[in-house]
Amino acid sequence: RKEVEQDPGPFNVPEGATVAFNCTYSNSASQSFFWYRQDCRKEPKLLMSVYSSGNEDGRFTAQLNRASQYISLLIRDSKLSDSATYLCVVNRAGGYNKLIFGAGTRLAVHP
Amino acid sequence: EPEVTQTPSHQVTQMGQEVILRCVPISNHLYFYWYRQILGQKVEFLVSFYNNEISEKSEIFDDQFSVERPDGSNFTLKIRSTKLEDSAMYFCASGAGLQETQYFGPGTRLLVL
């Protein structure tokens, strides 16, 4: 079983749509959780950290369910500039901050 | 805003040659990392470095790989004898502390012919 699993997509949505991405992780001892965004041939950039209480940053909302080992990202009012690959990332417990990446979910927002 | 920088942006080399990839982490950061991403695949951890020594490495990081922080600002990844399968994008990252956010550099695209 992969450590971090995501639906690869692509998700093709019109501008203004709401889209949700899901991710599951296998190591129950994982401590920190993130969504990164990666544009084509560029570096991963932190979008937001994910907390058990859920957190929101503008149009983006992230949720963590530790019992189900499930992480989600909701994007409201999608913009063309949201088109990218969204990476679910987990920090391995007990290590020196080794990040485990999912393969990513591709989002394409069209006019 | 401070950022991680990497040089070169692209490197083409012949199989069996040595390459050195260079990174300048964010200046007050203490934890340094190398990751790689083979085209079309996920980002994979290679090695973490703290207090002038390797703190963790993956199975990918075999004897052909080494890291160094030669002068207190640069952080390098050396591949001694490159193989075709080393062709990938190599990302350097740095973080201020354990469990702190990691910031990634723009990457070096390595092509081994």
Side-chain angles (χ1 to χ4, degrees):
Chain A
R1 183 182 171 187
K2 292 178 187 173
E3 286 201 68
V4 180
E5 290 208 60
Q6 297 181 249
D7 180 342
F11 284 62
N12 292 300
V13 303
E15 273 185 291
T18 295
V19 61
F21 303 140
N22 303 318
C23 165
T24 57
Y25 60 94
S26 60
N27 189 335
S28 59
S30 299
Q31 293 181 331
S32 306
F33 309 89
F34 310 91
W35 285 101
Y36 276 74
R37 169 196 168 126
Q38 187 175 32
D39 293 289
C40 190
R41 296 176 177 264
K42 301 282 192 182
E43 74 272 26
K45 290 189 176 175
L46 180 68
L47 182 65
M48 58 199 303
S49 302
V50 189
Y51 306 111
S52 297
S53 52
N55 47 302
E56 188 173 308
D57 183 2
R59 298 182 292 109
F60 300 86
T61 301
Q63 295 275 356
L64 167 65
N65 184 322
R66 284 188 184 269
S68 305
Q69 295 178 209
Y70 172 94
I71 306 162
S72 66
L73 177 69
L74 184 77
I75 305 176
R76 289 181 299 279
D77 188 23
S78 300
K79 313 288 184 198
L80 294 176
S81 57
D82 294 334
S83 298
T85 297
Y86 290 82
L87 308 176
C88 179
V89 184
V90 170
N91 184 329
R92 170 74 63 77
Y96 280 82
N97 216 20
K98 168 182 174 178
L99 297 183
I100 310 296
F101 284 77
T105 299
R106 209 150 50 86
L107 171 66
V109 182
H110 57 83
Chain B
E1 185 178 316
E3 55 185 24
V4 177
T5 59
Q6 290 186 242
T7 53
S9 58
H10 294 78
Q11 173 101 43
V12 181
T13 190
Q14 296 290 326
M15 191 169 57
Q17 295 296 302
E18 175 183 287
V19 294
I20 297 176
L21 310 184
R22 292 184 166 79
C23 168
V24 179
I26 293 172
S27 63
N28 63 341
H29 285 185
L30 300 175
Y31 293 80
F32 313 110
Y33 310 86
W34 284 100
Y35 293 82
R36 80 170 186 191
Q37 186 175 31
I38 294 170
L39 189 64
Q41 298 187 23
K42 65 179 182 178
V43 177
E44 300 174 288
F45 170 82
L46 290 178
V47 66
S48 59
F49 191 86
Y50 169 72
N51 200 27
N52 274 324
E53 59 184 25
I54 290 174
S55 42
E56 189 174 356
K57 58 185 181 180
S58 71
E59 303 101 25
I60 304 167
F61 195 89
D62 61 22
D63 292 343
Q64 294 299 317
F65 291 87
S66 62
V67 289
E68 199 176 34
R69 190 157 156 79
D71 56 13
S73 63
N74 290 286
F75 179 50
T76 62
L77 174 69
K78 183 193 288 187
I79 310 175
R80 264 182 272 283
S81 178
T82 49
K83 306 184 187 72
L84 296 176
E85 55 265 35
D86 294 328
S87 295
M89 182 75 107
Y90 287 81
F91 294 110
C92 172
S94 70
L98 206 56
Q99 305 296 326
E100 296 281 339
T101 299
Q102 292 183 32
Y103 295 90
F104 284 73
T108 293
R109 185 168 296 283
L110 176 65
L111 179 61
V112 182
L113 301 176

